Amino acid sequence: RLLPRPALSSQSSLWRGASTSSGDVAEPQKTHKIGVVLFDGFTVLDAYGPIQAFGSCKLDDGKGGFHQLFEISTIGTASGPVKSAEGPSSIAEYRFDECPYLDVLLIPGGQGTRKLVEDEDFLLRLSAATRQADITATVCTGSGLLAKTGLLDGRPATSNKLSWKWVKEQGPKVDWVTKARWVDDGDIITSSGVASGLDMTLHLIERLCGRDFAEMSARRMEYVRHEDPDEDPFLVI
């Protein structure tokens, strides 16, 4: 279903509240703070798929600009350039110890996770950031990192099926869900491999802001959304 391009007005269904007879403008939805963890060897789409989905969730402000529903920052063990597994570098804006309050912490996967599961300092920092965020979301083998902290013990989670055996070894006490595109367990959401992070993020946008916003974001990306978390065409392990 195609949605008309939403405009920023008190009449929009995408705004909380309603206009009053006196013409007062309704208050906009909360701007959610998103922190994306970067590390050497992260997978580009794991991080930038969700970044694009969150960034596409915006309303015209009527003045040639936009009101963003999600404010996105990047986090690393040190601030500065971080090289992805695919080659291009991104900038970590904050260190873990100076990270601002986050509504959502996003942990991508990538080849670099293989080394980081043995890095106790990184795991301690990741664990602390997870405990401080309202929601933690992982993409691909990012769930392996979170599992290694112990914070997934006894909880349902999923991951990339191509790395399934390795990921399970990082968290033997995790209730690993084999057939899942994503698993929503309240304050922790995990997705399967790479592109599934887009669907998980759109699900999270719907949870936080409503279905209209999720559909708007998907339309802006010209992305056909998968809405069934149990739809997993890559199940073969």
Side-chain angles (χ1 to χ4, degrees):
R1 180 166 64 93
L2 292 180
L3 297 176
R5 184 172 182 173
L8 189 68
S9 78
S10 60
Q11 302 298 328
S12 173
S13 64
L14 300 180
W15 282 73
R16 294 196 190 281
S19 59
T20 66
S21 58
S22 62
D24 293 337
V25 177
E27 290 296 320
Q29 291 208 19
K30 169 186 176 181
T31 297
H32 300 272
K33 307 286 187 179
I34 311 295
V36 181
V37 177
L38 299 181
F39 50 83
D40 286 337
F42 76 93
T43 293
V44 170
L45 189 57
D46 286 8
Y48 281 95
I51 286 173
Q52 185 62 58
F54 284 129
S56 296
C57 195
K58 57 190 177 182
L59 292 171
D60 294 338
D61 65 4
K63 302 176 182 178
F66 291 96
H67 170 73
Q68 297 286 160
L69 270 292
F70 294 91
E71 183 178 303
I72 307 163
S73 58
T74 51
I75 307 158
T77 53
S79 57
V82 182
K83 197 166 183 63
S84 70
E86 290 71 33
S89 293
S90 295
I91 301 296
E93 299 170 284
Y94 297 99
R95 302 189 310 267
F96 277 108
D97 60 2
E98 62 181 11
C99 179
Y101 163 81
L102 297 175
D103 293 291
V104 179
L105 178 72
L106 180 80
I107 308 170
Q111 192 60 38
T113 59
R114 272 60 172 182
K115 181 179 179 181
L116 286 177
V117 292
E118 305 300 332
D119 187 332
E120 290 296 330
D121 181 65
F122 176 85
L123 293 174
L124 285 172
R125 293 172 187 269
L126 185 66
S127 178
T130 297
R131 294 175 189 276
Q132 291 170 8
D134 287 350
I135 297 171
T136 295
T138 72
V139 181
C140 195
T141 54
S143 59
L145 288 176
L146 191 59
K148 195 69 174 182
T149 69
L151 294 178
L152 279 181
D153 286 357
R155 303 187 64 164
T158 196
S159 192
N160 190 325
K161 305 312 182 292
L162 291 177
S163 302
W164 193 251
K165 182 177 182 294
W166 177 84
V167 170
K168 287 185 68 177
E169 291 171 351
Q170 310 315 310
K173 296 181 181 180
V174 177
D175 179 15
W176 292 108
V177 181
T178 307
K179 184 182 179 182
R181 192 158 179 85
W182 73 86
V183 173
D184 186 340
D185 193 39
D187 61 342
I188 293 181
I189 308 176
T190 56
S191 78
S192 188
V194 194
S196 64
L198 274 167
D199 295 311
M200 176 194 71
T201 303
L202 291 169
H203 164 76
L204 183 54
I205 290 172
E206 179 170 342
R207 209 180 100 178
L208 294 174
C209 303
R211 183 175 179 82
D212 284 345
F213 277 109
E215 291 188 0
M216 176 183 66
S217 180
R219 182 171 184 259
R220 279 205 166 105
M221 295 188 293
E222 296 195 2
Y223 178 72
V224 178
R225 180 186 178 192
H226 299 80
E227 297 190 54
D228 183 356
D230 298 322
E231 180 185 356
D232 190 357
F234 304 100
L235 177 60
V236 178
I237 298 175

